[in-house]
Amino acid sequence: MRTLPPGVVSPDVSEETRQGADAPPRAKRILIGDPLTSEQVDEQLLPKRMALPIFASDALSSVAYAPQELVMILLIGGLTFLSFTPIVAAAVVVLLLVVVLSYRQLIKAYPSGGGDYEVASKNLGEIPGVIVAAALLVDYVLTVAVSVASGVDNIISAVPGLDPLRVELAVGFVILIIIVNLRGVREASLVFAIPTYVFIGSVGVMIVTGLARTLLGDAPVASSHDFSVQAESLSQAAVILLILRAFSSGCSALTGVEAVSNGVPAFRAPKVRNAQSTLVLMGTIAICLFSGLTALALITGVHYAENPCDLIGFDCTTPQPSLMAQIAAATFGGGSIPFFIVQAATACVLLLAANTAFNGFPLLGAVLARDGYAPKSLNTRGDRLVFSNGMILLGIAAIAVLVVFQARLTTLIQLYIIGVFVSFSLGQIGMVRHWRRILREPVGGARDGAAATDRRSARVGLLINSAGATLTVLVLVIVTITKFTHGAYLVFFAIPVLAFLMIGVKRYYRDVEHEIAIDDTTRFGASGDVAIVLVNHLQKPVMKAIDYAIAAKHDKTLAVHVAVSAEDAARLQQEWADHLVPVPLVIVESPYRSFAQPVTQFIRQYREKHGSSVVTVYLPQYIVGHWWESFLHNRRARRLANQLMLVHGVSITLVPWLLDSSELIYGRRSRPLPGQERAGRPVVVSGRRAHRPAGPPSGS
């Protein structure tokens, strides 16, 4: 039976064989599951009840640390500054409400999943769009780092003995979240749904219980209620700056709002309506939880200091309990079951809040790759129909940040929300320009899909987004002023560097497209078709490569041996004659023991003599099954292929030869039974996996 050339799929290969060959390694299959076909992509779309924990876990979980950060900053000025808490919290709630309404308009106008990046690019230009994308990517990395650090912080509040393992725990949780997300959107939503809803329910019950006890005259009291604080002496300007800094820290409750606008394609139809409903529900829950926790923090008298040693009466050699832990202990009792439920749910939802970034980052990366601002690999779906390359990249970046900053929440929080407010501001400004452009159009005009939007809706959108743009720009200025010297300057350095790199990637892809574009000067001028089989020793892999070359029916087929020693060349010539190989053997001397340069020189001389022939070089290559075997072979074929690809008019064909150990890939032994001849095992390459055609091999 004739063996098909490499690159051709045999029609005789059964579907079962093809699926078996395409199956991922067992370890990968256990971790992320069996591959999904492209036709199953619609089955991975999310209903609203599952989309809420996926896209809203970041915004919902931020209420666990936003009140804590707000109280902590105000406490720098002393206990009397806690009286500003209601005013600052109210300002955060108003801002959150405006931002939610603004993004509801954005989802309606730009449902393709680009979010702020798409809005800024289409309405403000390339540079603002790239800046928004860079800001969002940085913010997604910090979202993972802050969420995981906060979750670990709450675990340590319940189990202080784990404090020395803070970094190790954080890194382990990031790896676990990566694995869960690589299993696919639907499976991830099932894993994350229960902790998110338990968090909402348990914290809601705690808030209602605490407020009810207060109304009944039995107000809960926090463990830090009696601690005084060593306050700083502040001037009038410093007081204003401190209040603004507390407001900027409280604004961390807004992080994650933009994730829904980036994830609209992941919703079930009707996508826009479901995404808007999820956004509004998320905003409502976040406002209720944030307001309730802030109120309970004031009622119970929580005193949480940036430096625990500033709390007079507190043993600062032990970890400081989080605000959530203190409120739960005051409401239910420190050793009660509800206390541990709240702590466990808070820790889980904070850890899983990173999942919002693991959905937003890959989707944004895919959009950027589609537009040419990021590597094309970010727009490739993995076995489980998720953008797995983006998830892995995000995980690596987050782990690096956690290790560098030792997973300390108070340090990481200073880097946070800068990026998100950069994207908020530019996105809202872009939406203002979007609505104004629509309103300038004559009645009945249509441009950029404006025919589907009536003028009244455009005026409402303009009003909402104008308010959103004004407030977010104002908050961006406040956040910049108050956080810049506390570490936020690193973010202001990272965003332009990343934006510059993305523009460079765009220019590179543009230049490559221009270079390879077909034009009227393209000519077909090859005058011949020559096959060259590189021969080191006369062995079965070489004979199989010769068999392929003959089967391809080139105009001329030559075997070329690079002679490093005269003895080896003479021995090969004798074996060639003894075995009657039906291909001429050419000996090319290599006094400097190199391989690629003599072959390149031979090809150039041949083409100078015989015209611009198309040359196909056949290279036998071993396929092994054990990782350590790769170190026992010199991998010369791969190196030669990389070098010969630089020669004009040359194409490379790697002819794989499967050693016995390679059968581990297929999960069956290949040793022949006694008396059976060991087959040559020709391989037909099909996509990612090599198949062995049925029947005995020919030509060896």
Side-chain angles (χ1 to χ4, degrees), residues 488-551:
Y489 65 90
L490 294 172
V491 177
F492 281 100
F493 172 77
I495 289 175
V497 169
L498 185 56
F500 176 79
L501 291 175
M502 287 194 292
I503 291 175
V505 171
K506 176 72 171 181
R507 301 295 184 268
Y508 171 80
Y509 281 133
R510 181 198 62 189
D511 293 343
V512 170
E513 286 296 321
H514 176 74
E515 180 181 344
I516 64 177
I518 192 168
D519 53 35
D520 293 336
T521 63
T522 304
R523 295 289 183 270
F524 300 95
S527 59
D529 174 23
V530 179
I532 293 178
V533 182
L534 293 187
V535 179
N536 187 23
H537 302 290
L538 191 56
Q539 297 169 321
K540 287 184 177 180
V542 170
M543 297 298 288
K544 185 51 56 186
I546 293 174
D547 184 33
Y548 281 143
I550 294 173

Side-chain angles (χ1 to χ4, degrees), residues 560-584:
V560 174
H561 171 71
V562 178
V564 174
S565 70
E567 293 78 6
D568 289 343
R571 186 182 307 110
L572 179 62
Q573 285 179 312
Q574 184 61 47
E575 293 176 348
W576 206 262
D578 293 343
H579 288 84
L580 304 176
V581 181
V583 170

